[in-house]
Amino acid sequence: MFTKPFEGYIIRMASKGIQSKIESDHVYVTAKAGEVWNDFVWYCIEHNYAGIENMALIPGTVGASPYRILVPMALN
């Protein structure tokens, strides 16, 4: 959010893709920054990767959503 005029460039990451890897009893899920956050959550749910399902419906992309939502929560 800008509170005054901004002169410069804004770069939006639009790369998409989700990959997962299972090693022993761990699952590693990687999502590119332009992936829609809710699509990422649903990918995890559909593959039975538990732990992120309570973070569904946060608007935005993987690269931006966690920062916009979680950082302010952590600062309180």
Side-chain angles (χ1 to χ4, degrees), residues 33 35 37 59-69:
E35 192 67 51
W37 177 260
T61 60
V62 169
S65 296
Y67 181 81
R68 282 196 330 232
I69 302 299

Side-chain angles (χ1 to χ4, degrees), residues 18-40:
I18 302 173
Q19 296 179 343
S20 59
K21 177 172 63 170
I22 299 173
E23 289 183 4
S24 183
D25 59 345
H26 293 84
V27 176
Y28 300 92
V29 183
T30 304
K32 293 187 178 182
E35 192 67 51
V36 175
W37 177 260
N38 204 50
D39 293 347
F40 170 65

